[in-house]
Amino acid sequence: MIKEKNVQFISLEHSANFLKLKEKFSQIEKASDYRSAGYIIAVPGVFEHLGDLNQLEWLFSWCYDYETVKVGEHDDWDYSKDGTYYRRDFKEVDEQGNLITGGECFAGLSGGARRLVQAAMNLYNGAKGFDLEDGICSWDDRLFGIFLNACLLRKGGKIDYTTY
């Protein structure tokens, strides 16, 4: 049984990156799915692949090739800015309609970091494409520890901001 649910950052840079994400995406403070994903994305070695944080539309937009198009008729998946509706037109989906990661920034990650980001996507919304066995076999102790901490956060764990 897990008794201690306090999660620490791996470095001061990790903590600073997480705070930047929390400022951009307020959901990180409120929801464990966002918090666990943000914890992984804030890891140095991943965070620098995000590009301009102000340009991100959502937490994983840097992982996909897509363009935003204006739509006249909209559904629940579309989003509104100032009364105009937009849709993300993803360039790559598989036969079941699942998004395929493939953005330039995502492709620049190491294999272990790429699997860690796929784990973050899965913890966030159950995204397909994450293989736990593949992750465990490719992660060193540091990356595996980050994954375990993200799992604790997803289950309601708290972040200890005083140490790293």
Side-chain angles (χ1 to χ4, degrees):
M1 173 178 278
I2 299 171
K3 294 181 181 180
E4 193 64 42
K5 283 188 149 187
N6 286 338
V7 172
Q8 298 177 338
F9 293 103
I10 61 169
S11 67
L12 186 57
E13 183 181 3
H14 186 200
S15 174
N17 293 344
F18 183 82
L19 292 173
K20 289 175 190 173
L21 285 172
K22 194 167 87 165
E23 187 176 311
K24 168 74 177 167
F25 302 104
S26 62
Q27 302 94 324
I28 287 175
E29 184 68 37
K30 302 171 193 156
S32 66
D33 53 350
Y34 272 86
R35 195 167 25 265
S36 64
Y39 178 83
I40 289 175
I41 291 174
V43 169
V46 173
F47 188 80
E48 55 258 19
H49 289 272
L50 273 61
D52 182 359
L53 196 57
N54 294 319
Q55 298 300 312
L56 291 183
E57 289 187 43
W58 85 98
L59 204 51
F60 295 105
S61 60
W62 59 281
C63 297
Y64 298 100
D65 286 328
Y66 73 97
E67 62 182 329
T68 301
V69 295
K70 190 188 315 186
V71 293
E73 294 184 31
H74 61 278
D75 59 29
D76 292 341
W77 292 101
D78 299 328
Y79 64 98
S80 173
K81 279 187 187 174
D82 302 323
T84 303
Y85 284 88
Y86 298 90
R87 176 173 300 153
R88 295 176 185 104
D89 183 13
F90 292 92
K91 298 194 185 328
E92 296 186 61
V93 294
D94 65 17
E95 305 80 44
Q96 289 80 36
N98 298 313
L99 302 178
I100 299 173
T101 52
E104 264 182 55
C105 297
F106 183 82
L109 294 169
S110 69
R114 199 167 26 253
R115 289 173 183 91
L116 195 59
V117 172
Q118 289 171 326
M121 292 174 180
N122 187 268
L123 288 167
Y124 170 68
N125 68 1
K128 308 290 186 251
F130 170 63
D131 182 334
L132 179 59
E133 191 270 339
D134 190 33
I136 289 173
C137 290
S138 69
W139 294 326
D140 59 15
D141 289 345
R142 180 179 159 271
L143 293 179
F144 183 64
I146 292 166
F147 170 72
L148 290 177
N149 279 336
C151 289
L152 285 173
L153 288 173
R154 185 64 171 93
K155 287 296 290 178
K158 305 292 182 219
I159 292 179
D160 181 356
Y161 289 97
T162 62
T163 60
Y164 54 85

